[in-house]
Amino acid sequence: MLLLTSDWHLRGKDIGVMPGILEQFEAKVIESGVTLILHAGDMLDRGNIHDSHGGTGPIVKPVIDMMKRLTHRGVEWVILRGQHDMNEKSGNDGLPVFEGIEGVRIVREPELIVCQELKILCLPWMWNSHLSALSHAMELFGDAGGL
């Protein structure tokens, strides 16, 4: 089963409520038999999420811990970059904190991926080039013979 989510906007001021919300999310994923979580962008509130409420580590640690528990159970993650995940000035994003987690894939460029026998045409946010990215994605769609 596929679970589609987006716009978590992780940020320091939510540190106090995050563990409870993530615990409920994790339980629902397990209970429902979800095997693939597709996060369609804006995992972070901004590319650099540390603030007066907490540093990046404490903000993302509960999410990373939950991801690891779920991937250990065989749940895969595909995370598309959204505009809030990026730093507009540098063009970099804050998603490297999720890289290296087995079973988690970060998508930053238009890409056609196959995950659990499902073809997924991914179109992450791209500053100043969104229309050309869409054009490239449509080429990928055509090359795949449609979905």
Side-chain angles (χ1 to χ4, degrees), residues 43-107:
M43 177 72 88
L44 309 174
D45 195 52
R46 58 184 187 276
N48 185 354
I49 61 171
H50 72 274
D51 59 23
S52 62
H53 301 279
T56 301
I59 294 170
V60 298
K61 184 178 183 334
V63 177
I64 291 171
D65 291 346
M66 181 217 30
M67 287 176 153
K68 288 178 177 179
R69 287 190 302 271
L70 288 173
T71 58
H72 182 71
R73 291 175 160 269
V75 178
E76 295 178 71
W77 290 74
V78 176
I79 302 172
L80 276 67
R81 178 180 62 192
Q83 80 269 24
H84 286 269
D85 298 317
M86 295 182 64
N87 180 321
E88 185 174 6
K89 291 180 183 177
S90 71
N92 296 325
D93 62 58
L95 298 176
V97 296
F98 303 108
E99 290 177 339
I101 303 171
E102 189 174 337
V104 176
R105 181 176 187 160
I106 309 294
V107 180

